[in-house]
């Protein structure tokens, strides 16, 4: 059983996403214990304030250290991995998702505003993950990205883990193309190999497509209708 604790100032962002699909299924199957905490609940401030102005001046607010330290201390165990979502972190990928999926306890801290007080980075967190080189308004969407990618790799969450192993990035290739009915859509036909019923021919066709789509040599220019 994996446990995940998420600390946020925007708890409402999570409600839909965690009550659907694999994240919900993982909880129902007893494979994931998930808690989303409102940082305001750990604020020592009588008005539950969690942000304040930056020392030295400048625009924007900073998440105060106390709610984050106090919240994390409440759930921390010797097995926990404390992760800050941050555009400055290591860039998230399938390897990191695999690594995290083996951990018993992950604590995800969502930054907001201009970010978190630097003492959180210096004295609390153990890992810093970015979901890409762009800046979002908060760590909530990044933490959902990480959570979803990790949860579907926990054995037993998706019906057929072999299916996830065929997905892009699991190994050093991208997934093969897929088609469904109809076999002929406005004159555009599904490749003959897939209609042949010959399992070996289908396996070879998919392997060849995967080989050609190896992501190391990926063509990033997308042309509609190519
Ligand atoms: N001032 C920060 C900087 O430039 O590094 C950006 C702060 S951002 C507006 C607010 C929060 O959103 C961050 O603390 C982080 O938790 C989250 N965030 C934004 N972009 C992100 C990304 N690409 N990956 C992960 N988290 C991100």
């Amino acid at each position: 059983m994996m446990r995940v604790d998420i600390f946020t100032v925007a708890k409402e962002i999570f409600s839909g996403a965690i009550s659907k699909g694999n994240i919900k299924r993982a909880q129902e199957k007893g494979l994931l214990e998930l808690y989303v905490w409102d940082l305001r609940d750990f604020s020592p401030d009588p008005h539950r304030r969690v942000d304040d102005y930056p020392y030295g001046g400048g625009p924007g607010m900073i998440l105060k250290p106390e709610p984050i330290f106090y919240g994390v201390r409440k759930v921390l165990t010797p097995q926990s991995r404390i992760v800050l979502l941050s555009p400055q972190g290591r860039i998230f990928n399938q390897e990191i998702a695999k690594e995290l999926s083996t951990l018993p306890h992950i604590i995800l801290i969502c930054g907001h505003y201009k970010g978190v007080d630097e003492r959180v980075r210096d004295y609390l967190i153990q890992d810093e993950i970015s979901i890409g080189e762009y800046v979002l308004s908060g760590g909530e969407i990044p933490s959902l990205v990480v959570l979803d990618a990790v949860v579907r790799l926990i054995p037993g969450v998706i019906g057929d883990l072999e299916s996830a192993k065929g997905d892009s990035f699991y190994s050093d290739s991208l997934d093969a193309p897929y088609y469904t009915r109809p076999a002929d859509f406005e004159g555009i036909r599904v490749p003959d190999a897939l209609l042949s019923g010959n399992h070996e021919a289908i396996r070879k066709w998919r392997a060849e497509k995967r080989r050609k789509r190896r992501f190391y040599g990926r063509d990033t220019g997308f042309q509609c209708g190519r």
Side-chain angles (χ1 to χ4, degrees), residues 22 94 97-98 101 148-176 178 210:
N22 287 329
Q94 194 70 11
K98 277 191 227 173
S101 73
D148 190 288
V150 167
V151 162
R152 64 198 305 283
L153 296 178
I154 300 172
V157 170
I158 55 177
D160 182 2
L161 190 58
E162 287 310 307
S163 157
K165 289 184 180 171
D167 283 339
S168 300
F169 310 115
Y170 197 92
S171 58
D172 65 350
S173 62
L174 296 175
D175 201 356
Y178 294 100
R210 284 203 173 94

Side-chain angles (χ1 to χ4, degrees), residues 104-162:
H105 187 204
I106 304 170
I107 299 172
L108 298 174
I109 300 170
C110 306
H112 224 87
Y113 317 115
K114 285 295 279 179
V116 300
D117 185 289
E118 192 66 9
R119 287 164 287 192
V120 171
R121 290 175 80 197
D122 289 346
Y123 295 98
L124 189 66
I125 66 157
Q126 298 159 330
D127 197 354
E128 192 168 340
I129 290 179
S130 163
I131 62 159
E133 292 181 339
Y134 43 81
V135 176
L136 299 168
S137 309
E140 289 72 25
I141 292 170
S143 68
L144 281 169
V145 167
V146 170
L147 181 66
D148 190 288
V150 167
V151 162
R152 64 198 305 283
L153 296 178
I154 300 172
V157 170
I158 55 177
D160 182 2
L161 190 58
E162 287 310 307

